[in-house]
Amino acid sequence: MADHLFKHLVVVKFKEGIVVEEILSGMEKLVSDIDAVISFEWGIDIESLEMLRQGYTHAFVMTFKSKDDYNSYLAHPKHVEYSAIFSQVIDKIIMLDFPAVQSKSPP
Amino acid sequence: MADHLFKHLVVVKFKEGIVVEEILSGMEKLVSDIDAVISFEWGIDIESLEMLRQGYTHAFVMTFKSKDDYNSYLAHPKHVEYSAIFSQVIDKIIMLDFPAVQSKSPP
């Protein structure tokens, strides 16, 4: 079996009054600074019913070549520094980390 | 601004005793049958602390060219049929739907 890319998925609700743009630009800078992150996509929910999104508003998906690369990202001093800030601005969070099964690929 | 790809993110915990493999192969068949889905990736969490994944185990990410394509997927009879089954096997679910900002792309 081919190696799977490793995905780090984060879904959050920010605290009231937080300037989310600053947090997001910090995150974009973080992933651009750390080579282990090979791609980063994020978005703000615009569609789901409240009962389905349960207050969560933002989704972030980072992709790594391997779990080892993900671990090196976690241990990176810039990530450690950013996490300390991030943990203070979130109301709630869900995080899943998984080897990605690519079931349908773009043609 | 360029059109964003539209992402449909689903995070679930299945009910006890469910044969998850059957549900997953049904989902893979569904997305392979519906052209509006341009890519589909999923995975089973292997890494997060329980306090961070909060009981959720599976993540599914579908990508569409546009929100219109996503809407046509939602309305597709095969999706409607599958949803009826899926809603019976999940313990809890979070869903976010968003235009994806591609902040870092693979080289």
Side-chain angles (χ1 to χ4, degrees):
Chain A
M1 192 172 67
D3 282 350
H4 292 295
L5 294 174
F6 197 82
K7 298 269 183 186
H8 174 50
L9 168 68
V10 180
V11 176
V12 302
K13 178 189 180 190
F14 290 101
K15 287 180 184 164
E16 298 278 331
I18 293 297
V19 183
V20 174
E21 289 70 23
E22 284 176 16
I23 305 300
L24 296 181
S25 63
M27 194 183 298
E28 293 195 328
K29 178 156 186 0
L30 177 72
V31 302
S32 110
D33 284 351
I34 302 182
D35 289 343
V37 184
I38 57 174
S39 74
F40 174 47
E41 293 165 296
W42 63 274
I44 302 172
D45 180 83
I46 61 162
E47 184 71 4
S48 257
L49 300 172
E50 186 55 32
M51 61 167 286
L52 292 175
R53 73 179 179 192
Q54 294 182 36
Y56 293 93
T57 55
H58 291 67
F60 306 97
V61 184
M62 292 179 197
T63 305
F64 302 84
K65 271 204 286 280
S66 65
K67 186 165 173 300
D68 285 349
D69 275 14
Y70 172 60
N71 289 339
S72 77
Y73 163 79
L74 288 183
H76 194 292
K78 287 187 181 175
H79 174 261
V80 173
E81 187 185 350
Y82 183 80
S83 291
I85 298 166
F86 193 72
S87 64
Q88 289 170 20
V89 299
I90 52 173
D91 181 5
K92 53 183 189 169
I93 188 166
I94 290 174
M95 210 178 270
L96 274 83
D97 301 300
F98 55 91
V101 181
Q102 182 84 43
S103 171
K104 186 174 187 177
S105 301
Chain B
M1 193 171 67
D3 281 349
H4 292 295
L5 293 174
F6 197 83
K7 298 269 183 187
H8 175 50
L9 167 68
V10 180
V11 176
V12 303
K13 177 188 179 190
F14 290 102
K15 287 179 184 165
E16 297 279 331
I18 293 297
V19 182
V20 174
E21 290 69 24
E22 285 178 17
I23 304 299
L24 297 181
S25 63
M27 194 183 298
E28 293 195 329
K29 176 153 185 9
L30 177 72
V31 302
S32 110
D33 284 351
I34 302 183
D35 290 342
V37 184
I38 58 174
S39 74
F40 174 48
E41 292 165 296
W42 65 273
I44 302 173
D45 180 82
I46 61 163
E47 183 72 4
S48 256
L49 301 172
E50 186 54 34
M51 60 166 286
L52 291 175
R53 72 179 182 192
Q54 295 181 36
Y56 293 93
T57 53
H58 291 66
F60 306 97
V61 185
M62 293 180 195
T63 305
F64 302 84
K65 271 205 285 282
S66 65
K67 187 166 172 299
D68 284 349
D69 275 15
Y70 172 58
N71 289 339
S72 77
Y73 163 79
L74 289 183
H76 193 292
K78 287 186 178 173
H79 174 262
V80 173
E81 187 186 349
Y82 183 80
S83 292
I85 298 165
F86 193 72
S87 64
Q88 289 170 20
V89 298
I90 52 174
D91 180 4
K92 53 183 188 170
I93 186 166
I94 290 175
M95 209 179 270
L96 274 82
D97 301 300
F98 55 91
V101 181
Q102 182 83 43
S103 172
K104 186 174 187 178
S105 299

